[in-house]
Amino acid sequence: MMEMPSWLFRAAEIVTLLVIACGLVQILFYIVQLLFAALALHRRPAYASTSALWDRFADIAPSIAIVAPAYNEELSIIESVEALLALHYPDFEVIVVNDGSKDKTLRVLIDHYSMRPVTRYHDRALVHRPIRQLYAAPERPRLWLVDKENGGKADAMNAGINVARTPIVCVIDADTLLEPDALMRAARPFIEDPARTVAVGGTIRIANGCRVEGGRVLEAHLPRNFFALVQVVEYLRAFLMARLGLSELQSLMIISGAFGLFRRNSVIDVGGFSADTVGEDMELVVKLHRRMRDLKRPYRVVYIPEPVSWTEAPETAAILGNQRARWQRGSLETFRTHKDMFLNPRYGRIGFLGFGQVFLVDVIGPLVEVAGYLLVPPLWMLGLISVDYLLAFLAVIFTFGIFISVATLILEEVQLRRLPRARDLVILTAVAVLENFGYRQLNNFWRLRGWWQFLRKKQGWGKMVRKGFQRS
Amino acid sequence: MLRLIWDLSLLLAGLALVVMVSLVVLRALSTSSRKRLLAARRRLAPLLLDGDSAAYGDIDGMADSVVTELTLDLIQLVRGAERTQFIVKATELGVPERLRRQLRSVSRRRRAAAVQGLALFDDAASRGALMDALGDHDDDIKLAAALALARGETRPGLDEIVARLGLRDERSSLLTITLFRHYADYAPDEVQELVLDLDLPLSVRLAAIEALANTGDYRLVPAIVELGLRAPEHSEELPRYLHALGRIGHPAAREAVLAGLASSSMPARVAAAGAAGRIALLESAEQLTGLLGAPEWWVRFRAAEALLQLGGPGIAHLRGAAEHGGELAREAAAAMLAERGIAP
């Protein structure tokens, strides 16, 4: 057998060590997030019941405009709007923005609520495609309809924010199902720290498999589809660990466009949602951080775990793959646009912690992990690295991965207990283990596709087909 | 070192799985005990609704938590004489005593629930327990106890509440306004003392002003006008003073409101325009018309709204602006007139 030169052994070790080091730093980040998330959950206010919240906040709760962009939602729009109008909150309005739907979304809304064209003096601070007409429903004074030319979700949200006349705007997807007290809970930071709070995000959970009626999740069940099931664990990890931990560290970099509350003036000050990126929700939060830090104003971007909204998760590999590639592209676009903030002392913990996390997890994360899969096992099989290197690599990919996912489930069970049955815990624990073998690698492949699309400057959202909630 | 990474990862993953399995077992056990509690609750509800205290003997042996939770739920569901009846029943069943004991729990949630429950019983022992809860180390529980006491028939002095909540040293939230509102209805002088106490943090004094403004007490107008005229141009407090003057709605606020309309601070102009409309300050019409061309939408909107509130003269100014104003003023005036169905 041919003897290999010593430099080749050294090079193989260095490459493997780089992959392991990168994985270890990520794991360390996750463990810190877990600890801070646990601290935040432990310290969260003790008041759990809706009536207690109402008792305390109803008199002083700020008015909120819920902006719900709708594109081709004719089948579900009435149910969604009815659920929004039935939310438990003292002072709110619902602004549905028909983003140039090609189906009968507009007609269905006008007919159902007997809406009439109206004039409403509104702001023009944010740029968006022209509004064709505003409508109001005489019998539903909280409801407004904005009919505009198609411009995409960011464009529609900007139009809705312009039309809103409230200090706080809540942006959601038209098919997001909010729990009745979600607004009441999400408004809490704006009430408790009104001067500093600029944005608040809530939890999004997977509604696949749940029993839904009248736009409400009546019974929470786990989905039967594997892809949806694995997303339940992913969402728990993303929200309960990452967002809550980063929020506690005051380094939260994203508030999901599917459910977020923002101070309207702050959004207008930064120019609203950017229409030229698919990561407009992350980009908006980064812009808010940038502006507040530039102005040296004290501020808070907060995530709170209890206001819950539900969304439908993709159930096929093709659609899920498109979504993940798009998310990856969104992160990379935001990182590129604001790269001057990365490790910039002027932006404090946002530059180091927030952008550090984006760089490690979103920018180089998938590249390094895939490089690890392609290089480390072959290098070990060729005898260029010892078994210890291989085990350390397996540790950062698999066993630490299992620990992080299961630890998040523990956090959920100890602090929130939103999963209704013991059986659900067993299933999710099994998924938290299994997802590391196969799904995780597939996800990395999708994220690499996102990288490729980013490099090729691909625009647009791709096709997102919704199956619809299981309605009783 | 590399082997340590592997060993540590195995240890952590194994530990997490063991903890999770224990939690699953605990959950299974708690599910069955929860089922028993629900069944007890179903048995208890008709007994309590029946109103016959002789039937209380059947309650013996039921878990305290079931009795406490159900009686509190029933009290919160009804109003008037029925509510009083349920409070009497709950007292006979020893619910307030249990809640007072619960206030000593180590669990923050249990203590919070106890405060919330005790707020429904306005007896001396419950008030005493709530006073003790003002010394809780959790700020939320302290504030909840203060709110509960403020709603009662016999409330402690506001000075004492401010001291016990530590409001002299800390930033206050909007919830302080709710607390002060309860006092403003019955003891406005005590709240007014807070407004004029310069040793208090500004946020507390502003909360006191907003609480008083809600009552529409005119006596405070000269003091707020004075504060408004002296407040720095771009301060956080100036719009709050102007907003309070608008809420009170007394014409004596004239000087501060007119000064606010000329302020270079956007929030101050917005608040001043709102106040001018509420007070129906006719002499502000010229300034409001000028604000229709302001670069900020909120200023234009509030100015147009205020002109509409001025009635005929204000509408005449709006019509003039819709015809002869600059581009922004024309749009604001015409759109607001159209929105209210008034011919341009």
Side-chain angles (χ1 to χ4, degrees):
Chain A
M1 194 175 158
M2 194 181 73
E3 195 155 309
M4 288 192 238
S6 62
W7 64 264
L8 201 56
F9 287 91
R10 191 75 201 127
E13 282 174 1
I14 288 172
V15 168
T16 312
L17 279 176
L18 277 175
V19 171
I20 293 168
C22 190
L24 275 181
V25 178
Q26 271 192 43
I27 298 291
L28 198 68
F29 247 117
Y30 291 151
I31 291 174
V32 170
Q33 285 169 14
L34 261 175
L35 292 174
F36 275 88
L39 188 71
L41 281 173
H42 178 69
R43 290 201 310 215
R44 77 192 195 283
Y47 286 85
S49 77
T50 309
S51 65
L53 281 169
W54 185 271
D55 211 28
R56 291 183 81 175
F57 297 156
D59 287 350
I60 42 174
S63 349
I64 295 178
I66 302 170
V67 177
Y71 180 70
N72 293 348
E73 308 270 357
E74 65 176 7
L75 293 177
S76 59
I77 193 70
I78 298 301
E79 194 174 2
S80 302
V81 172
E82 281 296 307
L84 290 176
L85 290 171
L87 287 174
H88 297 172
Y89 194 79
D91 186 8
F92 71 100
E93 58 182 15
V94 176
I95 301 172
V96 180
V97 185
N98 176 47
D99 189 33
S101 295
K102 290 176 183 154
D103 67 357
K104 292 180 186 159
T105 304
L106 180 69
R107 181 46 48 199
V108 165
L109 280 165
I110 290 173
D111 289 348
H112 186 85
Y113 293 107
S114 307
M115 301 193 90
R116 294 182 193 153
V118 289
T119 302
R120 173 164 153 129
Y121 177 50
H122 61 82
D123 208 344
R124 292 182 195 278
L126 300 181
V127 178
H128 54 79
R129 303 279 296 155
I131 291 177
R132 295 170 185 144
Q133 184 62 55
L134 281 161
Y135 296 87
E139 287 168 19
R140 297 295 190 111
R142 285 189 195 282
L143 179 62
W144 297 88
L145 170 61
V146 178
D147 179 35
K148 66 178 275 291
E149 290 177 11
N150 179 258
K153 190 182 166 195
D155 194 75
M157 288 192 290
N158 284 344
I161 293 167
N162 268 347
V163 170
R165 282 179 180 175
T166 54
I168 312 292
V169 288
C170 169
V171 294
I172 60 165
D173 285 342
D175 65 339
T176 298
L177 307 176
L178 293 183
E179 294 206 336
D181 61 0
L183 277 187
M184 202 60 158
R185 291 182 188 276
R188 188 170 52 78
F190 288 109
I191 293 168
E192 291 182 344
D193 194 355
R196 294 191 305 163
T197 308
V198 294
V200 175
T203 299
I204 297 170
R205 291 195 179 226
I206 303 290
N208 304 46
C210 297
R211 192 160 77 85
V212 177
E213 192 177 299
R216 294 261 180 275
V217 172
L218 295 185
E219 278 174 30
H221 292 284
L222 290 182
R224 288 172 184 277
N225 173 283
F226 176 75
F227 284 118
L229 201 53
V230 87
Q231 286 173 84
V232 174
V233 177
E234 280 186 316
Y235 273 53
L236 276 178
R237 211 170 42 224
F239 286 93
L240 211 52
M241 179 194 75
R243 294 198 191 174
L244 186 54
L246 287 170
S247 164
E248 191 67 7
L249 288 160
Q250 275 301 302
S251 308
L252 186 60
M253 299 295 278
I254 182 166
I255 285 176
S256 171
F259 179 40
L261 272 71
F262 298 88
R263 191 165 287 287
R264 183 181 177 276
N265 283 349
S266 302
V267 175
I268 286 181
D269 285 345
V270 299
F273 288 94
S274 302
D276 56 357
T277 172
V278 287
E280 76 287 331
D281 43 6
M282 179 179 181
E283 218 258 339
L284 175 68
V285 175
V286 173
K287 283 195 291 190
L288 288 172
H289 280 302
R290 179 189 278 276
R291 179 168 170 84
M292 300 310 281
R293 295 237 165 210
D294 282 344
L295 294 174
K296 295 189 167 45
R297 280 200 203 139
Y299 73 102
R300 288 172 73 209
V301 175
V302 188
Y303 164 81
I304 36 180
E306 275 161 334
V308 170
S309 62
W310 299 81
T311 193
E312 182 196 350
E315 291 193 346
T316 66
I319 298 172
L320 182 58
N322 277 341
Q323 186 196 56
R324 293 309 155 94
R326 194 178 67 237
W327 288 0
Q328 177 67 31
R329 213 160 15 115
S331 295
L332 293 173
E333 285 168 358
T334 303
F335 188 84
R336 181 185 55 195
T337 310
H338 299 277
K339 58 184 178 295
D340 59 308
M341 292 173 77
F342 179 42
L343 301 182
N344 185 342
R346 178 187 168 94
Y347 296 102
R349 61 180 77 188
I350 297 304
F352 286 91
L353 268 178
F355 268 91
Q357 142 102 6
V358 174
F359 179 74
L360 268 174
V361 177
D362 294 331
V363 179
I364 63 165
L367 301 176
V368 174
E369 190 167 326
V370 171
Y373 293 135
L374 296 176
L375 291 175
V376 178
L379 289 175
W380 171 70
M381 281 190 275
L382 288 169
L384 290 169
I385 53 171
S386 70
V387 72
D388 285 356
Y389 283 89
L390 179 71
L391 288 178
F393 172 70
L394 295 179
V396 294
I397 300 295
F398 298 107
T399 35
F400 273 127
I402 292 170
F403 163 68
I404 296 292
S405 297
V406 177
T408 310
L409 284 176
I410 291 173
L411 214 55
E412 145 78 35
E413 175 60 8
V414 171
Q415 293 284 351
L416 296 177
R417 276 202 162 202
R418 297 283 309 214
L419 296 164
R421 286 161 291 270
R423 195 182 58 200
D424 298 341
L425 288 176
V426 176
I427 294 171
L428 288 185
T429 308
V431 172
V433 175
L434 287 176
E435 64 159 344
N436 291 282
F437 307 96
Y439 175 77
R440 179 178 174 143
Q441 292 69 30
L442 189 59
N443 197 15
N444 271 299
F445 166 72
W446 292 330
R447 293 173 71 192
L448 277 192
R449 210 164 70 193
W451 245 111
W452 179 242
Q453 292 168 355
F454 167 74
L455 293 174
R456 295 189 62 197
K457 297 188 168 55
K458 180 177 172 174
Q459 295 288 314
W461 280 54
K463 200 174 178 188
M464 176 72 184
V465 181
R466 293 194 184 276
K467 180 173 144 252
F469 298 112
Q470 179 193 328
R471 292 175 164 87
S472 56
Chain B
M1 176 68 185
L2 291 170
R3 189 58 80 124
L4 183 69
I5 295 171
W6 170 247
D7 291 343
L8 184 67
S9 74
L10 276 183
L11 177 74
L12 287 176
L15 255 178
L17 286 168
V18 168
V19 172
M20 197 66 220
V21 169
S22 318
L23 287 172
V24 170
V25 173
L26 282 176
R27 172 60 92 87
L29 293 174
S30 73
T31 305
S32 68
S33 84
R34 191 174 150 70
K35 277 182 188 157
R36 280 199 303 278
L37 291 178
L38 280 174
R41 195 179 159 100
R42 276 195 292 271
R43 284 204 314 280
L44 177 62
L47 297 178
L48 287 176
L49 290 168
D50 188 33
D52 178 9
S53 54
Y56 293 170
D58 298 342
I59 292 171
D60 288 346
M62 263 187 204
D64 283 354
S65 61
V66 176
V67 179
T68 306
E69 277 173 28
L70 185 59
T71 44
L72 292 179
D73 285 352
L74 289 173
I75 292 171
Q76 280 167 335
L77 274 180
V78 293
R79 293 283 178 271
E82 255 188 315
R83 188 186 181 103
T84 313
Q85 276 175 16
F86 277 128
I87 289 174
V88 171
K89 275 185 199 176
T91 310
E92 286 170 8
L93 289 167
V95 171
E97 284 101 290
R98 269 184 228 123
L99 291 171
R100 290 198 288 272
R101 280 201 301 276
Q102 198 173 314
L103 264 185
R104 294 194 287 273
S105 164
V106 286
S107 155
R108 219 157 42 103
R109 289 194 170 251
R110 281 179 57 76
R111 294 203 308 279
V115 167
Q116 205 188 328
L118 280 172
L120 303 169
F121 301 92
D122 198 19
D123 57 88
S126 298
R127 275 200 304 276
L130 287 171
M131 283 300 286
D132 291 344
L134 287 176
D136 198 288
H137 53 81
D138 184 279
D139 287 347
D140 252 342
I141 292 175
K142 282 200 287 196
L143 186 56
L147 285 168
L149 286 163
R151 285 179 187 135
E153 290 289 317
T154 324
R155 60 187 70 76
L158 187 53
D159 237 13
E160 186 177 357
I161 293 282
V162 167
R164 300 284 294 270
L165 290 182
L167 293 180
R168 286 189 177 274
D169 316 310
E170 288 173 23
R171 186 170 39 82
S172 76
S173 77
L174 287 181
L175 288 170
T176 330
I177 299 174
T178 309
L179 175 68
F180 291 166
R181 272 186 194 170
H182 288 294
Y183 277 88
D185 287 337
Y186 301 100
D189 292 342
E190 287 186 54
V191 184
Q192 192 170 348
E193 274 173 34
L194 296 184
V195 174
L196 303 173
D197 183 350
L198 298 179
D199 291 337
L200 279 173
L202 181 65
S203 57
V204 175
R205 292 170 53 217
L206 286 171
I209 286 176
E210 289 198 21
L212 278 174
N214 211 42
T215 65
D217 189 340
Y218 292 158
R219 287 177 302 165
L220 206 63
V221 173
I224 306 179
V225 167
E226 189 60 30
L227 289 167
L229 289 171
R230 276 189 308 181
E233 185 93 333
H234 287 275
S235 60
E236 184 200 334
E237 60 265 33
L238 178 56
R240 306 266 298 263
Y241 292 138
L242 291 165
H243 180 70
L245 288 171
R247 290 295 289 270
I248 297 171
H250 195 279
R254 173 189 164 278
E255 198 184 348
V257 172
L258 292 177
L261 288 173
S263 168
S264 60
S265 149
M266 189 273 269
R269 276 178 292 148
V270 170
R278 276 170 175 266
I279 298 170
L281 200 61
L282 282 176
E283 62 181 298
S284 67
E286 282 297 335
Q287 269 181 287
L288 289 170
T289 309
L291 291 181
L292 290 175
E296 306 93 350
W297 178 83
W298 272 114
V299 179
R300 301 197 296 273
F301 170 58
R302 289 285 180 228
E305 218 179 28
L307 284 167
L308 286 166
Q309 284 171 314
L310 297 185
I315 292 171
H317 274 85
L318 273 176
R319 284 186 172 132
E323 204 169 335
H324 307 295
E327 192 185 335
L328 291 173
R330 268 205 319 272
E331 190 212 359
M336 287 298 282
L337 285 168
E339 186 178 317
R340 305 293 164 98
I342 300 169

